[in-house]
């Protein structure tokens, strides 16, 4: 078999006694260390920039931006994209007119005449990214048919691309910049813009503007940000800091257009009822202070100015929460209805929306034209919402419980809370910007992959958390499965996915993407219909996918042909038996279909057992010993067998217990590196009717989240089985 590491680097060599708890602790600890709980990144973005569409791409309609541009004139757009490594991304363009795409100074795409006259023509462009920053330049020319293009990720739902502004002055701002119309093609391969230089040195003027007009700048801050809204209030939030040791009297001096209230660290320190200068003394201790200002709009102007000082010592203000892309110290929200008894701590947060009079909501802004604060999620895994992360969190949670490591449990809860706490904001973000900047699969559920696996982990974690947000989202997921997710006429979940490669197919994977959640939702609500739906899915999927002679499952049934692909992919079979063990655990003994599913579990287990390899592992294609030995399916078979022995579901428990021990030993020797890395996990899969696709095209990935949580769960169950057998 393929060796992923030297013997001396392996877990088996490092741990002569192969203690399961230490193995679990090492693997879980390595995952957490490599995916630390970094928070969302907040940055500025201009609402006056290039809008996004519902498919996540950007609409560079230069005719809308420059309606008075002359035929033959050019316009340019610049965007920066960060990549942690060298990789390739698939993008898509639809052209309104002649368009070029350049990346890092090299021409990648030039529109053909056919593409320029039909905006419905979609052109796929593979973009090779370098590690670090990548500069994208779009070049447009106006013709009678149109001016500009639509451009972005070809599959934003799975691979969103967050573009940032170029130039030193705009560093860390979200979105694109675009030029005023030009008579000449000012930029190209030989004269690519200096994206890291000064915007002021550029030969063209870039939009949207960062500066207020003279007339706007003459207004007070709230007036130029929100306009005149008589009777409405706005709040401004900042952080101040005193460097004077101890506690000292500071002079608080400013100007108000009308009613004004100021809080420091939640304590009201100043009130002004009239327009004009105000001055008060406030006691401030050494260190940082939270400032909140409430300003009420008058008839003609709105806002305030503020300075604080003591003796000759200046008092500095800074951002109350880190926001990239601006040097502004104050964040603003409004216009809102004035409320009595407002508590500053209710407002001084980045995780909530603010309700306006008309029932709509708003969020924080800065004192720049059209500039809003927007949270982004740039972590590869932490706070992400997707199905492999779901099973990873499940494994980490159970490991934390087994080892009495609350820090591991807390990590899982923090991950999930990061998703649920920002859920309402993310829905609003999609409405405001056309496409959400975080957790698109959560906000826009399109398939079972988007909700079932991580929803199941969330419900399991709720036993510790007792979070209203978890339960609220569970209800949303259950409603999706019951009323939105596509089903065949017989009720079987399938993937409609029109226009995509998986159109009109049913996948073995989707038993894990649905039934464990349905089981836990049944336990949450006590409503039998959710359990019955999980049972129905197993019986239906067996009808479509079960290979009777081999006692294995096909990976996919394709209704377009219609037939199953007939290939017993390892992890696909793993998802089935793994999930079936979870269903059997919660099924009442008197359930009418329990015996049928127990019989299926036994027959399926028997079929899998005959395919166990000489090293204890199962193969990528279960019936092909020439395919590589695969870690994630082996772990899932361990999980199911160990539970089958422990719960008495299997007729020959000694035989299966031996298979579990052999498989776990094989993983320790061949898949687990001493530093906690997990090897031999198949990457995410499409499907094929050719076994060569699974055997040769699907590669193994180190520390892939499809396998980490599963091997943790396998170790926990193998250890539980051994402990149970030792007591007999």
């Amino acid at each position: 078999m393929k060796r992923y590491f030297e013997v001396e680097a392996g877990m088996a060599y490092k741990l002569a006694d192969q203690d399961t708890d230490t193995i679990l602790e090492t693997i879980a600890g390595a995952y957490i260390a490599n995916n630390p709980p970094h928070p969302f990144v907040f940055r500025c973005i201009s609402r006056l920039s290039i809008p996004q569409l519902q498919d996540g791409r950007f609409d560079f309609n230069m005719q809308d931006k420059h309606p008075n541009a002359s035929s033959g004139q050019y316009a340019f757009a610049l965007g920066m994209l960060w990549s942690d490594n060298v990789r390739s991304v698939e993008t898509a363009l639809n052209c309104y007119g002649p368009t070029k795409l350049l990346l890092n100074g090299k021409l990648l795409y030039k529109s053909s005449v056919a593409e320029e006259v039909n905006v419905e023509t979609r052109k796929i462009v593979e973009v090779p990214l370098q590690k670090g920053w990548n500069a994208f330049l779009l070049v447009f020319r106006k013709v009678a048919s149109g001016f500009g293009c639509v451009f972005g990720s070809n599959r934003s739902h799975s691979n969103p691309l967050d573009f940032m502004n170029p130039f030193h002055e705009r560093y860390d701002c979200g979105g694109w910049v675009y030029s005023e119309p030009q008579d000449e093609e000012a930029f190209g391969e030989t004269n690519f813009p200096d994206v890291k230089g000064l915007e002021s040195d550029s030969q063209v003027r870039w939009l949207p503007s960062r500066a207020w007009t003279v007339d706007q700048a003459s207004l007070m801050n709230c007036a130029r940000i929100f306009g005149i809204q008589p009777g409405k209030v706005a709040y401004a939030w900042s952080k101040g800091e005193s460097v004077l040791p101890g506690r000292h009297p500071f002079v608080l001096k400013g100007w108000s257009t009308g009613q004004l209230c100021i809080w420091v660290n939640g304590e009201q320190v100043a009130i002004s009822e009239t327009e004009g200068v105000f001055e008060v003394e406030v006691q401030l201790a050494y260190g940082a202070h939270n400032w909140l200002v409430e300003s009420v709009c008058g008839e003609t102007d709105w806002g305030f100015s503020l300075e604080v000082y003591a003796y000759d010592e200046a008092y500095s203000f800074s951002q109350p929460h880190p926001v990239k892309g601006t040097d502004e110290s104050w964040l603003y929200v409004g216009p809102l209805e004035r409320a009595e008894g407002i508590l500053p701590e209710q407002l001084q947060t980045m995780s909530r929306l603010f309700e306006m009079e008309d029932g709509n909501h708003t969020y924080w802004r800065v004192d720049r034209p059209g500039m809003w604060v927007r949270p982004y999620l740039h972590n590869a895994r932490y706070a992400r919402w997707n199905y492999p992360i779901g099973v990873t969190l499940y494994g980490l949670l159970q490991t934390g419980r087994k080892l009495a490591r609350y820090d591991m449990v807390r990590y899982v809860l923090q991950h999930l809370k990061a998703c649920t706490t920002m859920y309402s904001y993310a829905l609003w973000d999609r409405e405001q910007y056309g496409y959400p900047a975080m957790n698109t699969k959560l906000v826009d559920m399109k398939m079972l992959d988007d909700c079932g696996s991580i929803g199941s982990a969330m419900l399991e974690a709720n036993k510790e958390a007792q979070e209203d947000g978890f339960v609220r989202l569970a209800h949303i997921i259950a409603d999706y499965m019951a009323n939105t997710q596509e089903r065949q006429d017989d009720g079987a979940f399938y993937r409609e996915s029109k226009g995509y490669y998986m159109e009109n197919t049913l996948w073995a994977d989707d038993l894990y993407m649905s039934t464990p959640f349905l089981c836990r939702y049944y336990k949450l609500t006590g409503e039998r219909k959710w359990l019955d739906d999980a049972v129905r899915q197993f019986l239906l999927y067996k009808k479509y996918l079960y290979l009777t002679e081999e006692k294995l499952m096909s990976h996919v049934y394709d209704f377009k042909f219609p037939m199953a692909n007939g290939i017993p992919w390892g992890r696909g079979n793993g998802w089935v038996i793994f999930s079936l063990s979870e269903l059997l655990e919660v099924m009442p003994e008197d359930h009418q279909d329990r015996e049928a599913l127990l019989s299926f579990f036994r027959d399926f287990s028997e079929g899998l057992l005959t395919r166990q390899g000489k090293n204890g592992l199962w193969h990528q294609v279960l019936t092909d010993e020439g395919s590589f030995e695969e870690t994630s399916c082996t772990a899932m078979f361990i999980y199911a067998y160990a539970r089958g022995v422990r719960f008495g579901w299997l007729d020959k428990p000694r035989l299966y217990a031996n298979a579990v021990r052999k498989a776990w030993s094989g993983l320790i020797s061949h898949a687990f590196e001493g530093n906690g890395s997990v090897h031999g996990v198949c990457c995410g899969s499409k499907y094929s009717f050719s076994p060569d696709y699974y055997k040769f095209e699907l590669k193994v990935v180190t520390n892939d989240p499809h396998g980490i949580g599963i091997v943790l769960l396998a170790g926990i169950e193998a250890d539980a089985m051994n402990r149970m057998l030792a007591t007999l």
Side-chain angles (χ1 to χ4, degrees):
M1 70 174 296
K2 178 179 179 180
R3 178 159 291 284
Y4 299 105
F5 43 81
E6 297 295 333
V7 171
E8 292 79 6
M11 192 79 77
Y13 188 86
K14 301 287 186 182
L15 297 174
D17 61 357
Q18 298 187 4
D19 176 66
T20 299
D21 283 4
T22 304
I23 293 171
L24 297 177
E25 187 171 28
T26 303
I27 294 173
Y31 177 87
I32 293 172
N34 290 323
N35 298 280
H38 292 160
F40 292 100
V41 174
F42 292 82
R43 64 177 76 251
C44 285
I45 185 171
S46 174
R47 292 275 189 91
L48 306 176
S49 184
I50 304 300
Q52 280 185 276
L53 302 174
Q54 289 185 354
D55 68 357
R57 295 186 298 159
F58 294 85
D59 187 7
F60 297 89
N61 191 332
M62 292 294 108
Q63 187 61 43
D64 286 349
K65 294 294 186 183
H66 301 307
N68 297 320
S70 301
S71 181
Q73 283 192 305
Y74 294 88
F76 311 93
L78 273 173
M80 305 291 289
L81 185 66
W82 177 268
S83 180
D84 288 331
N85 46 55
V86 175
R87 62 190 176 105
S88 181
V89 296
E90 189 178 83
T91 65
L93 291 102
N94 291 72
C95 298
Y96 297 120
T99 299
K100 295 178 183 178
L101 170 64
L102 292 88
L103 173 68
N104 299 325
K106 300 295 183 182
L107 181 67
L108 281 186
Y109 164 79
K110 182 179 183 298
S111 57
S112 68
V113 291
E115 293 154 2
E116 293 167 7
V117 297
N118 186 357
V119 73
E120 298 299 321
T121 302
R122 189 181 184 98
K123 177 66 176 180
I124 306 301
V125 179
E126 199 73 24
V127 175
L129 298 178
Q130 63 187 18
K131 184 177 181 179
W133 283 111
N134 294 266
F136 288 71
L137 172 67
L138 287 161
V139 181
F140 312 115
R141 194 173 194 191
K142 182 173 180 177
V143 295
S145 62
F147 191 17
C149 80
V150 174
F151 171 72
S153 173
N154 188 43
R155 296 292 295 180
S156 293
H157 192 64
S158 302
N159 187 28
L161 301 177
D162 294 328
F163 290 91
M164 302 296 153
N165 283 189
F167 304 126
H168 175 76
E169 297 94 327
R170 299 180 187 256
Y171 177 67
D172 264 343
C173 277
W176 294 75
V177 299
Y178 61 97
S179 74
E180 291 185 327
Q182 304 292 309
D183 292 333
E184 304 293 334
E185 190 171 355
F187 300 114
E189 285 189 302
T190 59
N191 52 344
F192 199 78
D194 183 6
V195 293
K196 294 184 179 179
L198 295 173
E199 180 180 352
S200 56
D201 291 341
S202 178
Q203 59 185 301
V204 303
R205 181 168 179 261
W206 296 96
L207 300 170
S209 174
R210 298 174 57 252
W212 296 107
T213 66
V214 173
D215 288 343
Q216 290 169 331
S218 68
L219 299 172
M220 294 293 288
N221 46 13
C222 293
R224 60 177 171 257
I225 296 171
F226 304 112
I228 302 302
Q229 305 270 349
K232 295 293 192 292
V233 299
Y235 292 94
W237 178 25
S238 187
K239 183 176 72 174
E241 184 172 12
S242 169
V243 296
L244 295 177
R247 190 175 183 87
H248 294 272
F250 281 74
V251 175
L252 169 57
K253 184 177 180 180
W255 171 277
S256 172
T257 58
Q259 297 179 53
L260 193 77
C261 187
I262 302 174
W263 294 267
V264 179
N265 293 336
E267 180 183 352
Q268 190 178 90
V269 297
I271 298 177
S272 174
E273 296 290 345
T274 59
E275 181 176 349
V277 176
F278 63 91
E279 183 175 322
V280 297
E281 183 180 285
V282 57
Q283 295 286 328
L284 297 176
Y286 172 85
H289 314 108
N290 252 318
W291 288 74
L292 186 71
V293 177
E294 178 189 75
S295 177
V296 181
C297 184
E299 295 296 326
T300 59
D301 207 351
W302 187 10
F304 66 94
S305 62
L306 190 65
E307 60 178 325
V308 181
Y309 55 89
Y311 316 115
D312 294 327
E313 187 69 40
Y315 182 88
S316 60
F317 285 98
S318 61
Q319 294 176 353
H321 189 95
V323 177
K324 297 182 181 296
T326 182
D327 57 3
E328 296 289 320
S329 299
W330 290 84
L331 304 182
Y332 300 83
V333 65
L336 306 174
E337 290 297 298
R338 193 174 190 186
E340 296 296 330
I342 191 72
L343 297 176
E345 57 267 25
Q346 295 174 331
L347 299 170
Q348 293 167 318
T349 175
M350 304 296 286
S351 62
R352 60 160 289 193
L353 295 167
F354 301 90
E355 187 171 359
M356 299 189 293
E357 181 183 24
D358 58 4
N360 290 320
H361 293 82
T362 190
Y363 196 64
W364 294 107
R365 303 173 66 171
V366 298
D367 190 4
R368 294 286 181 179
M371 198 70 78
W372 292 68
V373 178
R374 191 182 190 193
Y376 290 78
L377 181 60
H378 295 314
N379 302 330
R381 293 175 184 170
Y382 182 76
R384 290 277 173 187
W385 180 276
N386 58 47
Y387 82 82
I389 292 295
V391 72
T392 301
L393 295 179
Y394 184 24
L396 290 171
L397 177 67
Q398 297 290 57
T399 301
R401 288 169 171 170
K402 173 175 169 52
L403 302 180
R405 286 283 302 273
Y406 185 72
D407 57 321
M408 292 182 180
V409 175
R410 186 177 67 245
Y411 176 89
V412 173
L413 298 181
Q414 287 175 332
H415 181 126
L416 292 166
K417 287 178 182 178
C419 298
T420 58
T421 300
M422 295 298 288
Y423 177 67
S424 294
Y425 171 83
L427 292 173
W428 180 85
D429 186 277
R430 178 181 60 181
E431 294 175 3
Q432 300 304 307
Y433 298 99
Y435 200 76
M438 63 177 73
N439 286 328
T440 56
K441 295 177 184 293
L442 171 59
V443 175
D444 189 18
M445 296 179 195
K446 294 181 181 295
M447 58 196 304
L448 292 169
D449 276 7
D450 298 341
C451 57
S453 168
I454 194 165
S456 175
M458 179 183 69
L459 281 179
E460 183 65 30
N462 195 51
K463 295 175 182 178
E464 267 84 10
Q466 296 297 299
E467 279 280 321
D468 291 341
F470 290 8
V471 175
R472 174 196 174 202
L473 198 51
H475 293 328
I476 293 170
I477 294 170
D479 180 73
Y480 170 83
M481 287 190 184
N483 300 310
T484 303
Q485 167 61 37
E486 302 95 345
R487 295 175 184 249
Q488 289 289 309
D489 291 341
D490 57 11
F493 292 134
Y494 81 111
R495 306 184 183 194
E496 186 176 24
S497 301
K498 290 183 178 179
Y500 196 34
Y501 77 90
M502 64 176 72
E503 182 174 350
N504 209 12
T505 56
L506 177 150
W507 294 49
D509 314 43
D510 283 345
L511 284 175
Y512 184 75
M513 309 309 156
S514 59
T515 56
F517 173 83
L518 291 170
C519 291
R520 288 183 170 85
Y521 194 68
Y522 153 68
K523 297 292 285 186
L524 176 73
T525 63
E527 296 180 24
R528 180 75 170 261
K529 64 180 182 179
W530 304 105
L531 176 69
D532 290 342
D533 196 15
V535 170
R536 175 170 57 163
Q537 296 306 319
F538 269 96
L539 296 175
L540 289 169
Y541 272 57
K542 180 185 176 187
K543 179 185 73 173
Y544 285 113
L545 298 176
Y546 194 50
L547 301 169
T548 306
E549 292 186 9
E550 294 89 345
K551 295 184 179 180
L552 302 172
M553 296 285 278
S554 295
H555 181 206
V556 169
Y557 190 97
D558 194 326
F559 292 99
K560 297 188 292 293
F561 290 97
M563 66 175 71
N565 72 342
I567 298 170
W569 178 45
R571 189 158 67 229
N573 279 255
W575 291 129
V576 177
I577 200 163
F578 182 106
S579 305
L580 183 53
S581 77
E582 297 231 318
L583 174 58
L584 289 171
E585 184 182 10
V586 301
M587 282 185 77
E589 293 290 335
D590 61 352
H591 194 285
Q592 61 183 8
D593 294 312
R594 182 173 176 82
E595 286 305 314
L597 289 181
L598 272 174
S599 176
F600 177 34
F601 183 84
R602 292 169 182 140
D603 288 346
F604 191 14
S605 296
E606 183 180 318
L608 291 170
L609 187 63
T610 64
R611 307 298 177 180
Q612 188 173 21
K614 61 182 180 180
N615 295 311
L617 311 182
W618 278 263
H619 292 268
Q620 164 77 343
V621 179
L622 294 172
T623 52
D624 184 353
E625 292 184 358
S627 62
F628 63 86
E629 292 170 308
E630 205 278 325
T631 295
S632 65
C633 73
T634 297
M636 285 195 273
F637 301 151
I638 290 172
Y639 183 86
Y641 282 178
R643 303 182 106 221
V645 171
R646 191 156 60 89
F647 293 128
W649 300 333
L650 293 168
D651 295 330
K652 300 176 181 178
R654 181 180 299 179
L655 188 65
Y656 288 101
N658 287 337
V660 167
R661 287 189 288 270
K662 184 179 178 182
W664 183 244
S665 178
L667 288 179
I668 295 171
S669 298
H670 301 294
F672 299 164
E673 198 170 352
N675 63 6
S677 290
V678 175
H679 298 267
V681 178
C682 175
C683 64
S685 170
K686 295 183 180 179
Y687 82 101
S688 174
F689 281 84
S690 168
D692 286 352
Y693 166 73
Y694 297 87
K695 184 175 180 178
F696 298 114
E697 294 188 41
L698 294 179
K699 306 299 183 182
V700 294
V701 180
T702 299
N703 292 329
D704 190 290
H706 288 88
I708 293 172
I710 293 169
V711 301
L712 294 173
L713 292 165
I716 291 168
E717 288 297 337
D719 189 61
M721 180 198 75
N722 289 331
R723 291 176 185 274
M724 185 272 290
L725 292 175
T727 64
L728 296 180

